[in-house]
Amino acid sequence: MMHRREFISDATWLAAGVALGAAGAGRVLAEEKKPMPRDGVAAGIPMPLQVVIDDVGWWSGEDGSERQEPYRTGIDRRHVPADYRAIVELGRALGIRPQAATVLCEWDTENLLRALPESTWMGAEWDNSRWRGPWLEEAADVIRQNEAHYELTIHGLGHEHWTNGRYTRAEWADENGRMRPREQVEAHLDAFEAILAQHHLGGLPRSFVPTAFRHGFGRTEGRAVSMAELLAQRGVTYVNTPFGSMANADDVQRGVFGLDSGVMTVDRGDDLLDWDVIGQVPSGALTGPTCGLHWPNLLHPDPERNSEIVAGWVALLAPYDDRTDTMLAPDSLSFQHQLAHHVCTSTTVSGNSIELDFRETDSLPTPTGRGTLTLKVRGASALDFTSDAVGIATTASRRAGDEVLYTLRLERRPGLERARVRFAPTPA
Ligand SMILES: [Zn+2]
């Protein structure tokens, strides 16, 4: 397990630029390669980190891929409501809202997926009676009661795509990332919403993770619209998927994220653990803005011991919030705004002020980045901050060795494309 102290001593501007630059981090990190001037001040817009957990929603844990059933989560036990509580526990401990990318076929109490034979291994004979039981309401209650620390994200119905009892990858796009026919995609999104309604879990979510990471950026062969455009029409603003397996990845405009019909599409990069690893305390370092995992990675073979694994993730992730170059996003919407600022908004320290330039952020074809942002400042001594161009909503500070680290939550004022934050030594 990593110790918090090691992270702090490693988090120099230089180390930060090297460790995260390769992940396509914005030019702010390049500026940070400059060491802080003696007795000076350094400032940057930290890269937000968002936790995304795939394949939540299965009740069976069985990897059924050998017999033309879904991979599911590939573990030797069924899932239980405690597995949903593990997600909430992670969110509460870190003050974040993890995304649960959810598969819903085993929540279908009305067998409505009979009408979509390509969506499950049983086709038109779909029968989910095996998974009707009190655990559904118990888990739904966990999700509904803990909205602040649980974000339901669209993943899929059956995860793959079946033809005559045999599957291909995957539900929303084929092996090459080419979108499935539009009518099918629309029908699957309708069904996702309908199954959520069976359990009073709200309308269609605003975020999406493609199953098996098969996805195309923009339009794919023979399709008049892109997946993102269909999602945007239903209020989705954000897609998270690894760019390594995404069709048209070369068209991404901003390195770690691209805009596809106004939908922010973010690179997931590589996960720290394999998809079916369970009961292992995680280790390693994140290299980009997404902390991607699969549901078993957060769990223990004995559900009563899930907390031991959750604690491991808390220990791994918490230090990123203390670093000057990273932060934990409180939720996926803040994540989108902060990522836009991290990549597009420039900061310059000059004299007794920090200059922020929002022009590039405001040129994005989406409202992302018009609201609030987080700025981190390192000072050789205690500082006070003022601005007449942005609201300074909250300020947190923490001493690290001889330095003081500040976290400033800034609220933009409409129409101002630049802002100045002044600093002055705190009067003794
Ligand atoms: Zn999946």
Side-chain angles (χ1 to χ4, degrees):
M1 202 194 302
M2 299 215 181
H3 296 286
R4 182 168 283 230
R5 191 169 298 276
E6 286 166 12
F7 267 91
I8 291 168
S9 61
D10 283 341
T12 63
W13 294 132
L14 184 62
V18 170
L20 297 165
R27 66 181 185 225
V28 171
L29 281 174
E31 301 237 341
E32 289 168 358
K33 287 177 184 174
K34 296 178 202 156
M36 186 172 73
R38 188 177 288 275
D39 300 327
V41 167
I45 297 173
M47 179 169 73
L49 298 171
Q50 176 67 28
V51 175
V52 180
I53 306 163
D54 286 12
D55 300 336
V56 177
W58 293 112
W59 288 110
S60 167
E62 185 200 0
D63 175 356
S65 58
E66 303 267 289
R67 47 197 194 96
Q68 299 301 321
E69 289 194 14
Y71 290 81
R72 298 195 187 81
T73 55
I75 64 170
D76 288 334
R77 67 164 170 84
R78 57 160 294 184
H79 287 281
V80 292
D83 297 345
Y84 292 82
R85 281 192 281 270
I87 298 170
V88 171
E89 203 179 313
L90 178 74
R92 189 173 289 137
L94 293 169
I96 62 170
R97 194 171 185 232
Q99 283 174 254
T102 303
V103 172
L104 280 180
C105 65
E106 290 181 347
W107 283 69
D108 179 14
T109 52
E110 294 165 17
N111 290 334
L112 65 85
L113 295 184
R114 282 181 186 178
L116 301 175
E118 75 287 347
S119 70
T120 73
W121 56 103
M122 295 183 204
E125 311 298 311
W126 170 246
D127 178 8
N128 189 43
S129 51
R130 179 184 171 199
W131 293 114
R132 274 179 221 168
W135 48 82
L136 284 169
E137 180 52 26
E138 204 185 319
D141 198 52
V142 171
I143 297 168
R144 288 190 300 253
Q145 299 299 319
N146 294 284
E147 256 189 84
H149 299 300
Y150 190 110
E151 176 179 344
L152 206 153
T153 290
I154 306 165
H155 196 37
L157 301 171
H159 206 280
E160 316 304 339
H161 183 276
W162 281 266
T163 312
N164 301 322
R166 300 190 72 81
Y167 71 77
T168 52
R169 308 211 91 176
E171 179 165 347
W172 307 102
D174 71 15
E175 193 69 48
N176 301 313
R178 180 188 185 216
M179 190 179 84
R180 299 286 180 191
R182 175 182 183 158
E183 320 74 67
Q184 228 168 61
V185 169
E186 300 265 26
H188 283 227
L189 291 169
D190 289 342
F192 194 94
E193 195 168 356
I195 298 175
L196 286 181
Q198 291 175 15
H199 305 279
H200 310 288
L201 285 169
L204 198 70
R206 300 193 166 259
S207 52
F208 173 80
V209 173
T211 55
F213 305 140
R214 297 308 196 271
H215 184 67
F217 188 80
R219 278 188 271 170
T220 51
E221 194 196 335
R223 305 293 180 230
V225 290
S226 72
M227 183 70 197
E229 195 172 339
L230 296 180
L231 290 165
Q233 285 166 7
R234 293 163 183 258
V236 173
T237 62
Y238 152 55
V239 169
N240 191 298
T241 195
F243 288 180
S245 59
M246 183 171 73
N248 308 331
D250 288 346
D251 295 341
V252 167
Q253 309 94 339
R254 302 276 170 175
V256 77
F257 79 86
L259 291 163
D260 183 355
S261 292
V263 174
M264 186 181 250
T265 305
V266 179
D267 190 6
R268 174 178 172 120
D270 294 327
D271 293 4
L272 291 174
L273 297 175
D274 281 338
W275 67 284
D276 54 354
V277 170
I278 186 167
Q280 186 175 310
V281 172
S283 63
L286 302 180
T287 55
T290 309
C291 174
L293 57 155
H294 289 78
W295 204 13
N297 302 160
L298 187 66
L299 308 175
H300 193 281
D302 175 359
E304 291 194 1
R305 295 178 62 187
N306 283 346
S307 294
E308 295 171 28
I309 308 304
V310 172
W313 282 101
V314 171
L316 185 140
L317 288 167
Y320 288 96
D321 209 38
D322 292 339
R323 284 168 55 150
T324 47
D325 57 342
T326 55
M327 64 176 287
L328 301 180
D331 57 55
S332 77
L333 192 60
S334 313
F335 170 71
Q336 294 162 58
H337 288 290
Q338 182 71 18
L339 189 60
H341 283 294
H342 170 67
V343 173
C344 299
T345 300
S346 72
T347 59
T348 319
V349 178
S350 123
N352 63 347
S353 64
I354 301 159
E355 316 282 343
L356 298 154
D357 185 335
F358 300 116
R359 283 176 298 176
E360 200 177 323
T361 313
D362 290 351
S363 75
L364 297 173
T366 155
T368 308
R370 307 283 159 90
T372 60
L373 70 147
T374 294
L375 178 71
K376 291 202 179 183
V377 182
R378 258 168 80 206
S381 60
L383 299 169
D384 288 334
F385 298 92
T386 54
S387 178
D388 41 25
V390 286
I392 303 180
T394 58
T395 307
S397 68
R398 182 172 71 81
R399 226 165 235 295
D402 294 338
E403 297 177 353
V404 190
L405 305 179
Y406 293 91
T407 302
L408 274 57
R409 189 91 182 128
L410 306 181
E411 253 162 40
R412 290 191 62 188
R413 306 227 166 102
L416 293 180
E417 53 186 24
R418 294 170 202 251
R420 178 176 291 165
V421 175
R422 291 196 172 79
F423 53 83
T426 304

